[in-house]
Amino acid sequence: MSQFLKATPICLLFLALSLGLSAQKPGPLATYEPIYGPSVVQLKNFYALSLLESPDASRILLADPALRSLYQQKNDHLSRAVKECGSDVGCYTGTMKFTEDEIKLVSGRLSQLYKADNGLGKLVKDHLIPSGTYILYDSLPLGELLVKAWELEARGLNHVLEVYAEGMKPNYPAIDSIAFNTKSRSFGTLAYDVAELTRQEGNTSLFFSPSLQYALRWLEVNGRDEAADYEPMRFTENKAAFLHARALDSLAAWDKFKYSVILVPGSGPSDPSVALSPVGMLRCRLGALRYFDGLAPFLVVSGGRVHPFKTKYSEAFEMKRYLMEVLHVPEEAIVLEPHARHTTTNLRNTVRLLFHYGMPIGKPCLITTTRSQSLSIGSHAFVERCRRELGYLPYRLGERLSDTDLEFFPSLNSLQIDHDEPLDP
């Protein structure tokens, strides 16, 4: 994590809320300023909960007796657990998850407390909608949008505890599983230590705070901070490209190019000592050929710390270095996308960066990769995979130019948070 992030206080979140960064018309805004605080992992996974911590919203929640009671139950459980649970991990985690009844209770209270002109209304109008984080539900009445965001994030929090504390298999067990042997005696000791630390750290007395901090500690001890890699990227690894994109501030400048970007997906090596796989190199070379042909002003290299399990190497970072050092592509032409863990999210995350960096969202893009992956992306099976794993298509396919080159058009549905993929939500 960069020094910028370590030095950025949570007060920036509250300042942004007080300024009311929004526009009158509904829908996501490219000009919406992303909010950063001391825990990027929290903000990227639990954006609505993070916004509820703001002074205007939290005052409303803290004044509600039912929500205060729920907080007390969760907080009291931590105190009892460190005295009574011993090495029984389920004893620690069970009550820290939200039951369906508890989720419904909170949903009902939020519905009652929401008013268009109070802190909750301001949160939805000025942040949830323009951020696009719950774009799939933008057609709902605003109070219902807040409720939906809560319900998804509550289930996402439960998912973190199920996978990274209880050892349940995640969507992709080979790359995203828990880092510990849950049957070992030492793991029972760790469960006590996480609960005790969470108890000592305290919280904001909001109904979700004990469970949220407990889940974040489990992600931390598992070494699963991939969601925060290089963030905020427009100030770190993508600064040159971000400024270059802003310099192309007219449609006429973009009209010189057939495509806005050339997406080059990564390919992780099987050997943990290898930084960039042979397939990754070949994909970089294919992308560089298209860039030097003048098809687009930017290459997007996409891929996180994925293969093999808990690798220290970021596919996108190593591809960027290879493009610059070996293929002599200028840094200002390379957009780093270091979070995707699957081909589906190579596309989704690229669309997110296009939007947030002010690139034309209606212009076609090119995905250039090795033949087998390109043909897979163009298949009906890939469409079904996107719908199954994401709940929507992050793109619309265009023309196939060759076995290695395929056009696609971005979909803003890609802005939606994925609540059951905490390493790349």
Side-chain angles (χ1 to χ4, degrees), residues 413-425:
N413 286 343
S414 299
L415 300 176
Q416 173 77 22
I417 282 181
D418 191 347
H419 69 281
D420 66 352
E421 286 285 345
L423 310 189
D424 179 30

Side-chain angles (χ1 to χ4, degrees), residues 5 57 78 86 99 115 123 143 163 234 297 336 362 408 420 423:
L5 282 176
L78 279 175
T99 67
K115 289 181 174 54
L123 179 157
V163 173
R234 62 175 178 167
L336 187 82
F408 73 95
D420 66 352
L423 310 189

Side-chain angles (χ1 to χ4, degrees), residues 207-258:
F207 67 91
F208 56 83
S209 294
S211 296
L212 175 60
Q213 295 309 312
Y214 185 63
L216 291 172
R217 291 293 77 75
W218 274 108
L219 279 174
E220 183 178 46
V221 298
N222 273 271
R224 289 303 195 174
D225 62 348
E226 286 94 334
D229 283 355
Y230 308 104
E231 293 284 13
M233 294 187 292
R234 62 175 178 167
F235 298 112
T236 59
E237 283 296 321
N238 280 342
K239 183 177 180 179
F242 176 75
L243 294 175
H244 185 201
R246 288 301 173 94
L248 297 173
D249 59 357
S250 69
L251 288 177
W254 285 97
D255 283 345
K256 296 176 183 177
F257 303 95
K258 186 175 181 180

Side-chain angles (χ1 to χ4, degrees), residues 8-23:
T8 305
I10 196 67
C11 63
L12 286 185
L13 169 62
F14 301 152
L15 175 61
L17 283 166
S18 66
L19 290 174
L21 301 171
S22 70

Side-chain angles (χ1 to χ4, degrees), residues 261-280:
V261 300
I262 302 160
L263 166 59
V264 183
S267 175
S270 56
D271 186 337
S273 66
V274 173
L276 181 61
S277 73
V279 174

Side-chain angles (χ1 to χ4, degrees), residues 327-348:
L327 304 180
H328 308 296
V329 176
E331 184 174 18
E332 69 174 13
I334 305 172
V335 177
L336 187 82
E337 191 296 290
H339 301 119
R341 307 186 70 74
H342 319 296
T343 309
T344 55
T345 48
N346 289 142
L347 286 146
R348 182 200 70 182

